[in-house]
Amino acid sequence: MKKRKTEKLLEILSGQPVIPVLRIDRIADAVPLTRALAKGGLPAVEITLRTPDALDAIRLVVDEVPEAIVGAGTILTGKDFAGAAVAGAQFIVSPGTTQELLDAATRSEVPFLPGAVTPSEVMAMRDEGYEILKFFPAEQAGGAAFLKSLASPLPSVRFCPTGGISPKNAADYLSLPNVVCIGGSWVAPDAELAAGNWQAVEELAREAAKLARR
Ligand SMILES: O=C(O)C(=O)C[C@H](O)[C@H](O)COP(=O)(O)O
């Protein structure tokens, strides 16, 4: 089953260069926001469990925005994992990894993108059968140069770096052979969300969707 889940995850993540990382404070924003992102060319999104309504937002988008591919992020516990899966998340992302999360992922049909940074963490995930990993916090942990160095000893592992990535440094990551896609919140700025400026979000998504991968 792990192989099938990995294939599914790869299909989602390789479908677009940038996965928007969303913090939804107002549930009413969930549908117009994800619609605007999909319209701009970024249907796959990560809705983070950082706000009280995040699970409801996931449920709502799954029901009302069929063109969206909804992931759940900031998953820290087995309970978070199970809740996100029940809400309908199509992939699940965690900033790091714990045994509890690995166990929850094994029990679930939903593909898991676990976080890892150091060579030892990456090797531990590889031993668990995970070869597509989140690399967070990307810029602070050493950036594209660090990630590039991991490719030589660990060529089978590919990453979705997030944290501190913007249009300024996106190309540094997307040009690496071991990067599947990047994640970032810049396509959904707080100010545009607060103003309900969905046209601006759509434009940011359109620009991000044009970023070239290697
Ligand atoms: O907590 C998680 O599970 C995350 O997903 C972390 C986020 O990916 C980054 O916080 C996004 O970073 P910025 O683009 O710099 O805002």
Side-chain angles (χ1 to χ4, degrees):
M1 183 161 90
K2 201 162 257 172
K3 188 155 180 283
R4 192 160 37 84
K5 286 193 280 187
T6 303
E7 279 165 12
K8 182 76 207 150
L9 182 65
L10 195 55
E11 187 190 316
I12 294 170
L13 299 182
S14 56
Q16 60 197 56
V18 179
I19 306 287
V21 177
L22 308 178
R23 181 197 150 93
I24 298 180
D25 284 303
R26 285 186 311 203
I27 186 85
D29 292 343
V31 167
L33 170 60
T34 49
R35 266 195 195 131
L37 290 166
K39 217 165 156 205
L42 302 178
V45 298
E46 177 188 325
I47 297 180
T48 59
L49 261 65
R50 297 195 206 168
T51 57
D53 289 341
L55 287 177
D56 286 336
I58 291 171
R59 215 170 281 124
L60 199 61
V61 176
V62 167
D63 285 348
E64 298 197 13
V65 191
E67 65 273 32
I69 301 165
V70 188
T74 322
I75 296 294
L76 304 181
T77 65
K79 188 165 170 263
D80 290 344
F81 195 113
V86 168
Q90 287 151 282
F91 61 103
I92 289 187
V93 188
S94 67
T97 315
T98 62
Q99 189 58 49
E100 185 183 315
L101 282 173
L102 291 171
D103 292 344
T106 301
R107 285 193 296 271
S108 174
E109 287 283 333
V110 184
F112 181 40
L113 178 67
V117 172
T118 65
S120 298
E121 289 169 357
V122 173
M123 286 163 68
M125 284 306 104
R126 204 170 153 272
D127 285 354
E128 293 284 341
Y130 291 95
E131 295 210 317
I132 304 174
L133 304 174
K134 175 169 171 132
F135 178 73
F136 169 82
E139 276 295 284
Q140 297 78 356
F146 185 108
L147 210 44
K148 188 175 180 200
S149 303
L150 292 178
S152 303
L154 299 158
S156 63
V157 184
R158 283 180 288 169
F159 296 89
C160 174
T162 74
I165 305 185
S166 70
K168 280 201 189 90
N169 55 9
D172 299 343
Y173 290 94
L174 289 168
S175 64
L176 300 178
N178 58 346
V179 166
V180 182
C181 63
I182 56 180
S185 60
W186 85 86
V187 285
D190 287 344
E192 307 298 6
L193 264 65
N197 193 351
W198 311 123
Q199 190 57 44
V201 171
E202 186 184 323
E203 265 320 304
L204 285 167
R206 189 160 289 122
E207 286 306 308
K210 277 195 250 166
L211 289 168
R213 265 178 292 205
R214 179 179 174 271

